[in-house]
Amino acid sequence: MIGNDIMSMYPDELSEFVGTLGEKPYRAGQLFSWMAKGTPIDEMSNLSKAFREKLKESADYRLPKIEDKLVSKIDGTVKYLMSLEDGECVESVFMHYDHGTSLCVSSQAGCAMGCKFCASTLRGRVRNLTASEILGQAACASYDTGERVDGIVMMGIGEPLDNYDNVIRFLRLVSDERGMGIGLRHISLSTCGLVPRIYDLAKEGLPVTLSVSLHASDDETRDALMPINRKYKIAELLEACRNYFEETGRRVSFEYTLISGKNDSVEAADRLAAVLKRGMRAPCHVNLIMLNEVAETGLNAPDRRRAQDFATRLQKNGVNATIRRRLGSDINASCGQLRLKKLQEQG
Ligand code: SAH
């Protein structure tokens, strides 16, 4: 339901909406581009005062509100806790890389997927975010930092493919040249593996980078870590990834969080290489992530050396693998933990 949620509207829908307020269609373009910058209505200087008043009365302009903001002294990473219209909170992380800035956004308040190592899912899923609430995180971060967001990673709270329609709308909006204009090639979508939705996404004509959270090389281990695997097995998942590559020409990347004693042995690395070769038969990349320890899960990260051994073993087996650099380590920048802390404080 879009209703009067103007930030969820495509430009043609917005034209129609401004028409109902008695404004010319080109005003929609101006409004669209202001919203993409996170500009408050009163600061939309090329819109008449009368139009701005009408907007305040009849439109629902849902910009998230910054509740908390942590800035890393090490690398300038900014972590936001943002609140939405109904008081639900989500997290977004603004990162600086050599090749530009990137924002990690949330797609749901909470998550229903139940992965055993993850903070975001501990209290379940409360609700899906609207397209405007996802876009709003980017607009807000850009307004707050005064910097352009060059790329987006959908790796915050929530399972994007479990909120499919709103996420697709968000992708179309955020990549629209008349607004933020972030190239689809600079957008990554991370999923725990909702197989039918991966096939759907391949057909949308939105060539984003697909990142798949694998975290295991055999079904038994993956069943235990990620309940989604009880529904869609590794072989089926890889088949969907291969199809994604064939349809979009985009290389798929895999995330593999190393968890001490669960999935970090060299045998697991060998098996992972074999499974990927057999299943993908296409170029892919493995991002190794050191587990971010969440007290409630009782799981631990391996030491650095073991992680390095795992990476080396994959490379020896011909798999392209890197250990992900951690940004914002002093502000605990991985997602789900700030929201969880706030929920715990609320009791
Ligand atoms: N639901 C999506 C995106 C959100 S999580 C998905 O599952 O891909 C982004 C990545 O962080 C996923 O690979 C997820 O498995 C991983 N992750 C979650 N909790 C983590 C933790 N405590 N330490 C390291 N990685 C974690």
Side-chain angles (χ1 to χ4, degrees), residues 104-105 107-108 111 113 115-120 154-161 189-193 211-215 222 226 254-259 289-294 297 324 334-335 337:
C104 175
V105 297
S107 57
Q108 297 179 312
C111 184
M113 297 297 126
C115 298
K116 293 293 181 278
F117 43 82
C118 181
S120 302
M154 303 202 77
M155 288 188 186
I157 296 170
E159 167 49 51
L161 297 185
L189 184 149
S190 180
T191 178
C192 64
S211 247
V212 172
S213 301
L214 201 53
H215 307 325
R222 199 165 189 270
M226 303 176 73
F254 294 94
E255 289 152 284
Y256 193 102
T257 294
L258 292 162
I259 308 173
I289 309 170
M290 295 294 270
L291 178 75
N292 209 298
E293 294 178 2
V294 177
T297 68
R324 183 178 290 164
S334 66
C335 260
Q337 304 199 0

Side-chain angles (χ1 to χ4, degrees), residues 57 85 98 127 142 166 174 177 200 266 284 298 327:
E57 254 166 52
E85 202 104 305
D98 295 341
R127 68 174 177 85
S142 166
N166 292 339
V174 79
E177 297 277 331
D200 293 341
V266 284
C284 59
L327 290 177

Side-chain angles (χ1 to χ4, degrees), residues 34 41 60 70 79 113 126 133 141 173 177 187 195-196 209 211 220 226 231-232 234 243 258 304 309-310 320 333 337:
W34 282 121
I41 289 180
D60 178 8
L70 303 172
K79 177 155 185 169
M113 297 297 126
V126 180
E133 287 170 334
L173 288 170
E177 297 277 331
I187 300 179
V195 165
T209 301
S211 247
E220 198 187 327
M226 303 176 73
K231 210 159 173 189
Y232 309 112
I234 293 176
N243 174 75
L258 292 162
R304 192 79 202 167
D309 288 347
F310 195 95
N320 199 335
Q337 304 199 0

Side-chain angles (χ1 to χ4, degrees), residues 190-206:
S190 180
T191 178
C192 64
L194 298 182
V195 165
R197 293 310 205 184
I198 295 176
Y199 284 101
D200 293 341
L201 184 65
K203 290 198 282 271
E204 295 284 352
L206 293 166

